[in-house]
Every structure is written in structure tokens, then in C-alpha cells.
Amino acid sequence: MTLEQLGWNDRFAAAFAPHAAAGCVPARVTLELKGFFEVTGAEGARLGECSGKFARDHRSAADYPAIGDWVAVAPQPGDDTRAIIHAVLPRRTKFSRKAAGEHSVEQVVAANVDTVFLVAGLDGNYNLHRMERYLAAAWASGAEPVVLLNKADLNDDTQALIAELGITGRGVPVHVVSAQTRRGLKALAPYLVPGRTVALLGSSGVGKSTLINRLVGERLQDTQEVREADNKGRHTTTQRELIVTPSGVIVIDTPGMRELQPWDASAGIDAAFGDVTAVTARCKFRDCAHGVEPGCAVQAALADGSLDPARWSAWQRLQRAAAYEVRRVNPEARQLQKKDIKKITKQLRQRVHEKSGEE
């Protein structure tokens, strides 16, 4: 297998040049294991382990290799099955979330992805707010998001769902497909280009593994049925894996994620809701809460119909989720919120007092 078949390009080659002088060779992370990584290069796959210096220099979990990363490795002398990882090349795109647990830790789910298929099931699994969080994380990652509503053979009434997604994910392609019957799969061909990396993300039971098998034309991933009692999936994929398909398409499969908190969704939200942020920028006061403040451009736009109320609500939901994560780990942010609440409460009381005086 060549490096180009793994997604290598001139950008990565330029970033790797200093490591070549040190005797390293490039490889891509194709499987994540506990404490180890499968790294695949021109000479095949090896079991990779980070060097001691790498561990000393990198304390954050997000700095460590993730599925899809390109790394600089030194093959072990006399052992063609092992390699030492000395560096992670700069990531072109990065899909991150907050790792499960009390502490706020960034977890890189997939790196250097060109297109991310956000998969939802139409068998009772679909949840708009969850899909909004997936979209926020995808926008922040830099990859191209595409929504796949799978299991169309179980639910043909999708127009309302597509309309809802159109409000939140304006400009994001939405495809209704069925991995079982192959309905709608031909429409995905433009995304499946040899040498490009496609990642499938979604909660358990949405059919990611079945979709991979259908898209590549052979059985690469094991599949299981969802539980009929609650439509919740059983974890078929238990680890992140990068697969180069016979057609040359690079596919990343990931374990199901029922809950997703994007690591830093603010930039992605602003980019996706440019129309909304443009309105908020016209408010008279920079710290406008878009409620009762005089000169609020948002309230004016909602009143004259130039701002869609549903889109405004979607923006608010995503901003609240992003702000909550910041406050949860940042005491200063929590104090600022308390000050904002006091300010808004004072304004409301003043407004009530003025109205009562007018009467």
C-alpha cells in the first residue's frame, strides 16, 4: 500500500520533512488500542508506541495520536512489527468532544477527515438536539458535514425531519438512505473518492457498520440488531478503526456516541449561523442579552420577520450548550454569568417600574 492510498499529500510531506532528516518514516494511525496504536505506512502495519520524550513533552490527551493522524515513526531495528512514535503531524481537520467524566478533557475522535457522515436512525433513534450537537462538532472540526438519515425502510415520513435540519444545518446535505435495501446509496458516490477520508459518526444502533459494508461492496464490519424494546443499539464497533477499501476510499468507523458535548463548538456555530451572528452584531450594546434591552437588533429582526424564529431558537440552544461547558470548568465564567443575571434582573425590575409609573 502506498502513502498516497492512505491519504498522503504535499501538505503532510512538507510538515514531515524535518522528521525525515532524523531518520523517521511517515505512517497513519489506522487503529487505536489501549496504550498502543496500529500505524500503517509504505512498509505495512506496525504496532506503535509513543516514545518517552513524546510522553514527557505532551501532557494533554489531545496531543497524543488519534485515528486518522499522520505520525513520524522510527521502525525498531530487527523487529518489523514494532515502531516508536516520535511526533504527530499537524492535523488538517480534527473532530473533538469532551471526554466522559467529571473533568473537562478533550478527546480527539478522528483527525484529517475530509467528509464526516453524521448518521441517525429513523427507527426511533432520531433526536434533533443530538444532531445539532453533532453538527456543531463537525463545523468546528473543519471537515465537510453530511447528514445521513438511515433506515428509511422503517420510516418513510421524513419531510418534517429534513425541514428541521434545514433550519439548523443550512447548506448541509441531507440524504435519506437505507443500508438494508440500498435505497439512496448511489447519491453518496460523489463523497467516496479514492484517497479521501470519510468518517461515520453517530450513536449506537444507527447502522454505521452496515452502511460501511454496503458502501464498499463487501462485508468489512460486523453488525448487530438493535433492541426492539427501546430502539437502542448494541455496540458492534468497539474501537476506532481506519479502513482502506478495495475501491480506494478511506473510511473511519467509530463506536457509537449516545451523548456528545463538542469540545469547542463556538467557532463552528458562528460559521454555520453567520446570518444570526450578523444580526446580533447590530445590537446597540455589545453585551446585549437579546431580551428587553433597547436597540436590540435581534428583537427587531424577529418582529419584522427578517430573522427566522426557529433558526434563532436553534442558535440559542447550541450557544447555551457551549456556554454551559465553559462555565462548568471555568470559575471566572461562572462569576460572569452571575453578574449578567443580576444585570438582566435589574433591567427587568426597572422596566416594570417604568410601566407602572406610566399607568
Side-chain angles (χ1 to χ4, degrees):
M1 182 177 298
T2 67
L3 293 178
E4 287 71 22
Q5 289 173 317
L6 286 162
W8 187 253
N9 57 36
D10 292 341
R11 176 174 180 167
F12 292 123
F16 179 76
H19 304 292
C24 291
V25 296
R28 196 168 190 188
V29 178
T30 49
L31 185 66
E32 288 188 38
L33 305 165
K34 290 186 177 180
F36 296 90
F37 308 88
E38 180 189 77
V39 292
T40 304
E43 301 301 322
R46 289 185 172 92
L47 184 64
E49 181 180 9
C50 293
S51 69
K53 184 178 186 305
F54 185 99
R56 290 191 299 271
D57 294 344
H58 300 85
R59 298 297 182 182
S60 171
D63 293 334
Y64 274 70
I67 196 73
D69 265 328
W70 281 98
V71 293
V73 304
Q76 291 290 76
D79 187 350
D80 59 2
T81 67
R82 304 291 292 272
I84 300 299
I85 300 172
H86 289 280
V88 176
L89 300 190
R91 292 157 174 154
R92 192 173 59 80
T93 64
K94 179 182 69 170
F95 190 100
S96 292
R97 68 167 180 170
K98 186 188 80 67
E102 291 297 319
H103 301 289
S104 184
V105 178
E106 180 184 6
Q107 180 185 40
V108 180
V109 178
N112 300 315
V113 173
D114 296 296
T115 301
V116 55
F117 285 159
L118 305 176
V119 188
L122 295 172
D123 55 350
N125 169 277
Y126 179 81
N127 181 292
L128 175 62
H129 294 178
R130 184 194 304 148
M131 184 55 69
E132 286 176 342
R133 291 193 294 273
Y134 272 101
L135 282 166
W139 286 319
S141 77
E144 174 193 15
V146 177
V147 174
L148 303 186
L149 299 179
N150 190 28
K151 304 188 180 182
D153 51 302
L154 302 179
N155 184 351
D156 224 8
D157 186 15
T158 59
Q159 292 305 311
L161 302 182
I162 294 174
E164 283 183 331
L165 285 169
I167 293 170
T168 301
R170 184 175 294 179
V172 175
V174 179
H175 297 277
V176 178
V177 301
S178 170
Q180 289 294 339
T181 66
R182 302 178 185 272
R183 171 185 168 184
L185 297 186
K186 289 184 178 179
L188 305 182
Y191 309 109
L192 306 176
V193 179
R196 290 179 61 82
T197 303
V198 176
L200 282 81
L201 299 170
S203 56
S204 301
V206 298
K208 299 189 300 297
S209 297
T210 305
L211 273 169
I212 289 176
N213 291 337
R214 294 289 188 265
L215 292 175
V216 303
E218 61 180 69
R219 187 183 181 88
L220 294 179
Q221 300 294 80
D222 292 331
T223 62
Q224 293 186 36
E225 297 297 326
V226 298
R227 296 194 297 264
E228 292 184 4
D230 55 10
N231 285 314
K232 291 184 178 179
R234 302 184 179 99
H235 288 277
T236 300
T237 302
T238 57
Q239 53 195 358
R240 298 176 185 87
E241 183 177 7
L242 183 148
I243 304 164
V244 180
T245 69
S247 64
V249 180
I250 304 165
V251 177
I252 293 178
D253 192 12
T254 62
M257 296 181 290
R258 187 158 298 280
E259 293 299 328
L260 172 71
Q261 291 294 341
W263 176 249
D264 182 12
S266 299
I269 295 171
D270 289 342
F273 286 79
D275 55 328
V276 178
T277 55
V279 174
T280 62
R282 297 201 300 268
C283 288
K284 181 177 180 180
F285 300 104
R286 182 178 297 179
D287 59 348
C288 182
H290 315 303
V292 299
E293 294 89 347
C296 176
V298 170
Q299 292 303 318
L302 290 170
D304 66 23
S306 58
L307 178 60
D308 185 346
R311 189 155 169 81
W312 169 243
S313 297
W315 181 88
Q316 287 181 302
R317 283 195 301 272
L318 289 171
Q319 290 288 3
R320 282 196 298 267
Y324 169 78
E325 275 307 304
V326 173
R327 293 195 305 272
R328 198 181 67 80
V329 298
N330 189 332
E332 292 182 2
R334 289 197 294 271
Q335 290 299 321
L336 286 174
Q337 185 199 31
K338 290 180 180 179
K339 290 182 180 179
D340 289 341
I341 292 174
K342 288 181 180 179
K343 178 181 177 181
I344 294 171
T345 302
K346 182 178 179 180
Q347 291 173 338
L348 286 170
R349 287 174 178 169
Q350 183 178 354
R351 189 176 180 87
V352 170
H353 178 71
E354 291 174 351
K355 283 191 174 182
S356 62
E358 293 174 356
E359 294 174 356

